[in-house]
Amino acid sequence: MDDVIAAVATPPGKGGVAIVRVSGQGALAVAEKMFTPAGKTKVACFAPYRLYPGRIDCGGFADFGLCVYFKAPHSFTGEDVVEFHCHGGTEIARGALLRTLACGARLAERGEFTKRAFLNGKLSLASAEGLADMINGESEAEVRAGSMLYAERLSAAVRAAQAQLTELLAGIDADMDFPEEDIEHTDLFTAKEHIRALAASLEELTRSYGTGKKIGSGVSVVLAGRPNTGKSSVLNALLGSDRAIVSAQAGTTRDAVEGSIEIGGVRFDLCDTAGLRAGADALEREGVERARRRIEGADLVLFVLDASQPMSEEDKEAYAALEGKKMLVVHNKTDLRADACELPADVRVSALTGENIPLLKQKMFDACMSGYNTDALFVTQERHYAALSRALALLREAEGLCGSVPPDLWGVPLREAWEALGEITGETANERIIDEIFSKFCVGK
Ligand code: GDP
């Protein structure tokens, strides 16, 4: 981390302002070479956190902008940081960036600023992940969950658990070191209670992943039913009202998603199975298979029926195929006749008139997010969930061993649980994991 890194910190394109960020010991020296202050204060004498106007040398041309200096360790990365605020043209920012490289900086890698912040102890690994979630978040709930991670809410809970483990381990070590001395030996009963309580608190955190996962990756909803019940129309009515999320993540696993909406701040990804019915030809069979897989992976199925008609054989078949799935029975076309269908409805709507579409949304939210409390801490990332689950299993193992084998033996799973928890904050995370996390950031963050 001895070298100076530089990148354009603002997104590419035209805008009011673009920021070129430089970090590392020697960042100020880079500024000295390419920034000419308009005022009397020389770059070397810049007071931290103050914006100085002046001329930014961009190689073949110059821009008039601002320069700010963040003195180590009180900067985002923990190192000396300099930012040039130039006018927001792609070529202007590029010119300023190339100039920083000519003045001794090198191009930063993806997420390298945040990685340095982590390595310098400015934030935990989980906090850095929260920052990425905030930046990539597409719904209010995603950003809020990201901001909680960023603010070290999960890390604090994890560190508290680690502190308790350390205490238990210290007790065991004292027993092992001075077995015959008359000091207070680890009281087995208390230790076991302690482990049990700790396991219970970790279990509560792991349980929050059920809801947290949906916050992090969206609630997947599939509309199912025989053709012509109005699935596409219901889907469009859902998408048409209020705010539809335009996803920037094309070509991902959300290929099949027709559109996303925000309900109560949470993203719901909607997917239709229109036109996919059991047919003879291979193409249709492939379609049916795909629909089945989507239904299997969905958090919720909206089973759409035509309220103006009794259930047909085809309806019954479609219904039977959904057995065991979390489902809302939606009667559509209530503008025609609302009571012909014999299967009890969870909600009756008319996609045509829009009647009860808000109620349908409310029911969707209640079905998937009941008990969602915006202030509560949720585990939203699989990596954290996996580490917590491993720690929990190890605590259970220690609890089982406690009392039946010597303390140093039940201390082993306790120590491993400590390490599993450390992967969340980053203390014990290996380089591969760390690199993987920061490679998901963009250049300049
Ligand atoms: P899908 O095959 O299940 O996707 O059904 P569509 O959305 O294509 O709708 C089938 C037919 O039902 C179309 O002619 C729609 O205009 C009509 N339709 C859909 N929803 C309603 C509704 O709420 N009321 C009435 N009257 N017609 C509807």
Side-chain angles (χ1 to χ4, degrees), residues 93-131:
R94 209 168 77 93
L97 175 65
L98 289 177
R99 193 71 202 125
T100 65
L101 304 185
C103 293
R106 73 158 168 82
L107 208 54
E109 287 165 20
R110 284 175 170 271
E112 199 172 359
F113 290 93
T114 316
K115 187 177 179 181
R116 287 187 172 201
F118 164 67
L119 294 174
N120 287 324
K122 301 295 283 188
L123 39 69
S124 72
L125 201 53
S127 173
E129 289 171 295
L131 194 53

Side-chain angles (χ1 to χ4, degrees), residues 149-211:
L149 257 187
Y150 177 51
E152 309 280 16
R153 284 269 302 265
L154 179 64
S155 305
V158 163
R159 287 194 174 117
Q162 280 182 306
Q164 291 189 45
L165 284 171
T166 304
E167 204 178 300
L168 274 164
L169 287 166
I172 293 174
D173 284 348
D175 272 3
M176 299 312 294
D177 292 345
F178 311 101
E180 65 291 332
E181 280 184 32
D182 194 20
I183 52 169
E184 203 177 309
H185 285 269
T186 309
D187 173 346
L188 278 184
F189 179 75
T190 316
K192 207 162 181 150
E193 279 304 301
H194 208 133
I195 296 173
R196 197 170 291 148
L198 198 53
S201 70
L202 289 193
E203 189 164 21
E204 200 183 320
L205 266 182
T206 52
R207 229 183 288 124
S208 75
Y209 185 58
T211 301

Side-chain angles (χ1 to χ4, degrees), residues 226-233 272 274 332-333 335-336 350-352:
R226 71 159 166 83
N228 272 324
T229 54
K231 293 182 295 299
S232 317
S233 307
D272 196 359
N332 183 36
K333 309 194 188 184
D335 55 291
L336 295 177
S350 165
L352 188 72

Side-chain angles (χ1 to χ4, degrees), residues 14-300:
K14 295 169 191 168
V17 176
I19 296 175
V20 174
R21 187 187 256 173
V22 185
S23 179
Q25 212 177 12
L28 204 59
V30 171
E32 272 187 283
K33 288 183 198 153
M34 59 181 279
F35 189 77
T36 314
K40 286 195 202 95
T41 313
K42 289 203 173 73
V43 172
C45 304
F46 274 3
Y49 318 117
R50 192 175 285 182
L51 287 164
Y52 290 92
R55 182 178 173 278
I56 303 168
D57 179 3
C58 300
F61 58 92
D63 187 19
F64 195 83
L66 300 165
C67 181
V68 56
Y69 167 50
F70 303 91
K71 192 172 159 55
H74 304 294
S75 69
F76 176 68
T77 58
E79 306 170 329
D80 267 359
V81 170
V82 165
E83 281 178 9
F84 300 106
H85 298 204
C86 53
H87 289 104
T90 315
E91 279 307 308
I92 305 174
R94 209 168 77 93
L97 175 65
L98 289 177
R99 193 71 202 125
T100 65
L101 304 185
C103 293
R106 73 158 168 82
L107 208 54
E109 287 165 20
R110 284 175 170 271
E112 199 172 359
F113 290 93
T114 316
K115 187 177 179 181
R116 287 187 172 201
F118 164 67
L119 294 174
N120 287 324
K122 301 295 283 188
L123 39 69
S124 72
L125 201 53
S127 173
E129 289 171 295
L131 194 53
D133 288 350
M134 283 179 79
I135 291 169
N136 297 324
E138 291 180 352
S139 70
E140 188 186 307
E142 267 177 277
V143 178
R144 186 174 9 196
S147 75
M148 280 191 195
L149 257 187
Y150 177 51
E152 309 280 16
R153 284 269 302 265
L154 179 64
S155 305
V158 163
R159 287 194 174 117
Q162 280 182 306
Q164 291 189 45
L165 284 171
T166 304
E167 204 178 300
L168 274 164
L169 287 166
I172 293 174
D173 284 348
D175 272 3
M176 299 312 294
D177 292 345
F178 311 101
E180 65 291 332
E181 280 184 32
D182 194 20
I183 52 169
E184 203 177 309
H185 285 269
T186 309
D187 173 346
L188 278 184
F189 179 75
T190 316
K192 207 162 181 150
E193 279 304 301
H194 208 133
I195 296 173
R196 197 170 291 148
L198 198 53
S201 70
L202 289 193
E203 189 164 21
E204 200 183 320
L205 266 182
T206 52
R207 229 183 288 124
S208 75
Y209 185 58
T211 301
K213 188 177 173 204
K214 292 183 204 140
I215 295 172
S217 32
V219 183
S220 64
V221 180
V222 169
L223 288 92
R226 71 159 166 83
N228 272 324
T229 54
K231 293 182 295 299
S232 317
S233 307
V234 170
L235 185 123
N236 284 330
L238 284 167
L239 289 178
S241 50
D242 296 340
R243 185 167 101 88
I245 298 174
V246 183
S247 172
Q249 299 182 22
T252 61
T253 46
R254 283 159 63 194
D255 273 355
V257 172
E258 247 83 26
S260 304
I261 50 170
E262 209 173 285
I263 310 177
V266 177
R267 194 183 81 219
F268 283 68
D269 296 327
L270 309 178
C271 163
D272 196 359
T273 52
L276 306 177
R277 68 178 134 157
D281 72 67
L283 206 67
E284 278 196 61
R285 277 204 302 274
E286 160 70 21
V288 171
E289 185 47 39
R290 203 177 324 136
R292 194 172 19 244
R293 277 201 302 270
R294 283 185 200 170
I295 287 168
E296 232 162 63
D299 294 311
L300 177 69

